[in-house]
Amino acid sequence: MNAQFKKGVVEMCILKLVSSSDMYGLEVIEGISKEIEVNENTVYPILRRLTLAGYFNTYKEKNPSGPDRKYYRATKEGTLYLGELLHEYRAFTKKVERIIGE
Amino acid sequence: MKMTKNDYLELLGEVLRQNSVSGEERLEILEDYEELYDGYKELGMSDKEIKEKLGSPYNVFASLKGTMRYEKRITKPKEKFIAVSPFIALLIFFIFGFGYDLWHPTWLVFFLIPMSAIVFSMKEGIWSLMTALSPFIATAFFILFGYYTGVYNPTWMIFLLILVFAFLTMDEKRKYLYLALLLISSALYLWIGVTYKVYGISLLLFLPLIVLLTYYGHVEVKLIGTYRKPIGYVIIATIVVYFLGGYLYDLWDVLWLVFLIIPVVAIYIGEKGRSKYLAMTPFVSVTIFFLLGYFLDLWQFSWLAFLLIPVVAILIGDE
């Protein structure tokens, strides 16, 4: 799969996961890699970018078995952005399906 | 080599620092990677497995490039000088080459590039600086003096200057003994050589110094790199080839190139990844440049061999 296309899709999946519930870095990575083959160097930069863009907030939470964990929480802008991405993606895949389905 | 969490994070911090990533951001990334590292540890992974999972710190930096704010870097005048030194050298080379047909030995002006970098970047004392500069000074003197007088032997003794500076940087008191022995051996060697024209066997005069240095652990055949190949044998082999070729075929003025094999082998064994080929390129360029110029008198074209360096750098990319 084209790397840029995959990154775009992974970004959308990360937004979706974090919008469903607050998650820490490794949890996001594990959640994504259960379904899609990705590594940390794909997921972590996206988490950073989305945070810098204001789509995520972060906060620290105590971890009983180690250092504090940084949790990501989707902001209102993040939820809106996810809605846009999902809309575009569904419209796009519908068109693609029409072409390749024939 | 086994890399622990601390080693990994330390290297990552260093890579970020070298690439001017701001302090605050560096800390943030390090904290995030520490959390990931600990997370994988909790899952029962070994350091090796975690390193494979996270990727090398260089790859981490490469993947984060687009998401970082960089510190504004102020270019200091000395850094500017280092940056323009290749152009100054090339200009001088062309002026003397085209103007006076002195391609050789004007090419020595290219030594300005590494020399200016050494002068402006070394923070150690004067003797360490001179030790680093002495190979260039000695080579330039050897080639210039040899070229204009035809006397390459015993002009090669100028390379002993490297030893003199190396001794002066030592912390131990015995350095004065080494220096005295070196001066006495050199003086005797010169005297016997000039008076009786016996240079070959009188090299044995340096034997006491070598024995003493070996006894105190300053001369050893070191095994370096993961392949455990002995670089010491290469050094000995190049010295043997140089003196044999010099005495038997009077090739003093060209055989010095064999000494470039030492850093090339050291880089090949010691460096990892494709970047080692880039580190070797300057030595290959100098060899091509000198051989084409020396044997075919193509000095005005052979400088193009130096373009190999940026070409290889582009081909290898920013690994």
Side-chain angles (χ1 to χ4, degrees):
Chain A
M1 189 188 284
N2 176 291
Q4 280 311 106
F5 180 71
K6 188 175 172 181
K7 264 185 194 169
V9 174
V10 171
E11 182 177 293
M12 189 174 64
C13 295
I14 291 173
L15 266 163
K16 177 71 186 164
L17 281 177
V18 178
S19 308
S20 312
S21 68
D22 296 0
M23 285 183 170
Y24 58 90
L26 193 57
E27 218 176 355
V28 179
I29 293 167
E30 301 274 282
I32 297 283
S33 55
K34 252 191 270 171
E35 304 293 340
I36 307 169
E37 202 182 305
V38 284
N39 65 32
E40 292 63 21
N41 292 330
T42 307
V43 176
Y44 180 66
I46 296 174
L47 279 172
R48 272 181 65 76
R49 205 171 51 245
L50 292 172
T51 310
L52 287 173
Y55 297 135
F56 289 158
N57 276 333
T58 60
Y59 62 93
K60 292 266 184 182
E61 191 99 312
K62 285 260 174 266
N63 167 25
S65 53
D68 294 353
R69 280 176 175 151
K70 181 156 99 180
Y71 277 80
Y72 295 85
R73 173 187 287 156
T75 59
K76 201 175 141 196
E77 289 80 12
T79 315
L80 285 172
Y81 180 52
L82 172 66
E84 277 172 36
L85 285 181
L86 284 173
H87 177 73
E88 279 174 23
Y89 180 76
R90 283 178 183 136
F92 177 74
T93 48
K94 216 180 260 179
K95 287 174 190 167
V96 174
E97 265 312 309
R98 276 209 296 272
I99 295 168
I100 61 173
E102 281 171 9
Chain B
M1 195 183 76
K2 199 183 166 217
M3 193 181 239
T4 62
K5 177 180 138 186
N6 281 347
D7 296 334
Y8 185 86
L9 294 174
E10 222 166 83
L11 182 59
L12 178 58
E14 190 52 40
V15 172
L16 297 172
R17 196 175 302 114
Q18 278 171 7
N19 286 284
S20 309
V21 176
S22 71
E24 192 190 334
E25 198 153 32
R26 210 162 52 221
L27 199 68
E28 192 186 309
I29 293 167
L30 286 175
E31 275 179 7
D32 290 347
Y33 268 83
E34 184 175 11
E35 189 190 314
L36 286 176
Y37 207 107
D38 288 333
Y40 283 124
K41 267 268 172 211
E42 276 177 41
L43 294 174
M45 284 190 182
S46 67
D47 285 316
K48 191 172 170 244
E49 285 169 327
I50 298 171
K51 201 206 148 197
E52 273 167 22
K53 202 115 180 69
L54 296 178
S56 85
Y58 298 98
N59 288 341
V60 170
F61 169 71
S63 69
L64 290 171
K65 259 182 185 172
T67 70
M68 284 188 289
R69 300 174 293 271
Y70 296 95
E71 271 169 355
K72 194 168 183 272
R73 217 163 155 267
I74 301 155
T75 312
K76 295 174 188 154
K78 56 186 182 184
E79 287 176 352
K80 283 183 186 165
F81 184 81
I82 297 171
V84 297
S85 64
F87 303 102
I88 296 173
L90 195 62
L91 195 69
I92 297 171
F93 179 65
F94 279 150
I95 290 171
F96 281 85
F98 285 116
Y100 306 98
D101 202 27
L102 281 173
W103 302 100
H104 177 61
T106 310
W107 67 271
L108 289 169
V109 78
F110 288 108
F111 282 4
L112 258 184
I113 306 165
M115 285 175 85
S116 62
I118 290 168
V119 168
F120 291 127
S121 61
M122 271 190 81
K123 291 178 179 68
E124 288 86 358
I126 180 75
W127 298 128
S128 298
L129 178 69
M130 291 311 293
T131 308
L133 290 177
S134 56
F136 299 101
I137 296 170
T139 308
F141 182 87
F142 172 74
I143 290 170
L144 279 174
F145 195 81
Y147 180 70
Y148 285 109
T149 63
V151 182
Y152 287 97
N153 182 34
T155 311
W156 66 265
M157 288 179 76
I158 191 69
F159 288 105
L160 296 177
L161 199 67
I162 303 168
L163 271 184
V164 171
F165 289 122
F167 289 156
L168 286 171
T169 55
M170 285 179 171
D171 278 334
E172 53 189 276
K173 280 184 184 163
R174 272 193 299 269
K175 68 180 177 185
Y176 298 109
L177 176 66
Y178 302 150
L179 269 175
L181 214 51
L182 178 65
L183 290 178
I184 294 167
S185 313
S186 305
L188 279 173
Y189 173 78
L190 261 182
W191 179 69
I192 294 173
V194 173
T195 315
Y196 304 103
K197 302 282 173 229
V198 181
Y199 283 108
I201 194 77
S202 40
L203 276 172
L204 289 172
L205 286 164
F206 292 98
L207 204 59
L209 177 66
I210 295 168
V211 169
L212 198 66
L213 288 171
T214 312
Y215 180 76
Y216 286 113
H218 297 294
V219 179
E220 53 183 325
V221 178
K222 275 190 177 171
L223 297 167
I224 64 166
T226 47
Y227 301 106
R228 314 292 292 169
K229 282 183 185 169
I231 191 77
Y233 295 139
V234 177
I235 297 172
I236 294 166
T238 52
I239 293 172
V240 169
V241 168
Y242 179 70
F243 281 104
L244 272 180
Y247 281 114
L248 298 178
Y249 304 104
D250 200 26
L251 287 171
W252 300 103
D253 50 345
V254 66
L255 265 184
W256 61 272
L257 283 170
V258 296
F259 291 116
L260 299 185
I261 294 171
I262 301 167
V264 168
V265 172
I267 292 165
Y268 186 78
I269 295 170
E271 296 276 325
K272 282 181 183 159
R274 287 187 303 163
S275 58
K276 68 181 170 191
Y277 299 110
L278 179 60
M280 287 177 192
T281 316
F283 303 102
V284 176
S285 297
V286 170
T287 308
I288 297 172
F289 167 76
F290 193 82
L291 289 178
L292 286 177
Y294 185 84
F295 287 110
L296 305 173
D297 204 25
L298 288 172
W299 300 106
Q300 63 269 51
F301 301 111
S302 61
W303 66 272
L304 289 165
F306 290 103
L307 294 182
L308 256 181
I309 303 167
V311 168
V312 173
I314 292 164
L315 289 177
I316 285 177
D318 59 350
E319 187 180 315

